[in-house]
Amino acid sequence: MPSLNYSPSVFRGLRRSEAVGLPWAETDLTLGTVHISEQLVASSYDVWEDKPKMESGERTIKLDSETRTLLQLWCERQDMERAKRKAHAKSWKRTGLVFTWEVGGAYHPEYLSQVFMRPIKRLGLPPVRLHDLRHCAQLCCWLPACT
């Protein structure tokens, strides 16, 4: 569900590598916060866990109500996928990550960028990179509807 991955980027400024590397252990849906302490970094096909890009990258972010609700629904869906696979004697890859494929595996960070670009190209819109959503978050911080 890549579209859900964009919500934290748009409203709270997560990098794509931070979104795909976000563990449930650092996500508190009761308080409505996520703690960014790691990211999934990619070089070609190789993907590995690493610390945030900058020293100030490790941070706790308060979620907006929409993203919080989406994450709660995603958690429920992920639990159902895990149970369904278990019921059919199929394996679930235990990554502990918030955003995974139906089998539990992590998304490749570049995959999110590719999926993001498809409708932009199809609609002939001016080029916008997934990274640019981080800058939208800066603007949203000033809007009361985003808090």
Side-chain angles (χ1 to χ4, degrees), residues 103-124:
V103 296
Y107 287 121
H108 190 292
E110 184 59 29
Y111 173 74
L112 294 185
S113 295
Q114 292 172 359
V115 171
F116 179 77
M117 289 303 297
R118 287 178 193 156
I120 291 170
K121 287 179 180 178
R122 187 177 66 245
L123 296 170

Side-chain angles (χ1 to χ4, degrees), residues 57-76:
E58 186 167 335
R59 63 209 184 275
T60 299
I61 298 172
K62 182 161 175 46
L63 298 171
D64 60 282
S65 59
E66 181 73 16
T67 301
R68 186 177 179 180
T69 300
L70 287 171
L71 286 175
Q72 288 168 331
L73 292 171
W74 182 247
C75 183
E76 292 169 12

Side-chain angles (χ1 to χ4, degrees), residues 1 4-5 8 19-20 22 71 74 78 97-101 105-107:
M1 178 179 252
L4 174 58
N5 285 322
V20 296
L22 182 64
L71 286 175
W74 182 247
Q78 202 177 54
L97 297 174
V98 172
F99 301 112
T100 63
W101 292 99
Y107 287 121

Side-chain angles (χ1 to χ4, degrees), residues 16-17 43 57 104 109 135:
R16 72 176 186 179
S17 57
S43 176
H135 304 293

Side-chain angles (χ1 to χ4, degrees), residues 30-91:
T30 304
L31 291 176
T33 60
V34 294
H35 182 73
I36 305 301
S37 62
E38 56 193 52
Q39 61 181 353
L40 289 184
V41 181
S43 176
S44 188
Y45 293 105
D46 296 325
V47 179
W48 64 93
E49 263 183 36
D50 204 351
K51 293 181 179 180
K53 186 175 179 180
M54 309 201 51
E55 197 171 304
S56 62
E58 186 167 335
R59 63 209 184 275
T60 299
I61 298 172
K62 182 161 175 46
L63 298 171
D64 60 282
S65 59
E66 181 73 16
T67 301
R68 186 177 179 180
T69 300
L70 287 171
L71 286 175
Q72 288 168 331
L73 292 171
W74 182 247
C75 183
E76 292 169 12
R77 179 174 174 185
Q78 202 177 54
D79 288 344
M80 286 190 307
E81 289 289 343
R82 190 180 305 111
K84 186 167 63 171
R85 293 192 64 76
K86 187 177 180 180
H88 291 94
K90 295 181 180 177
S91 65

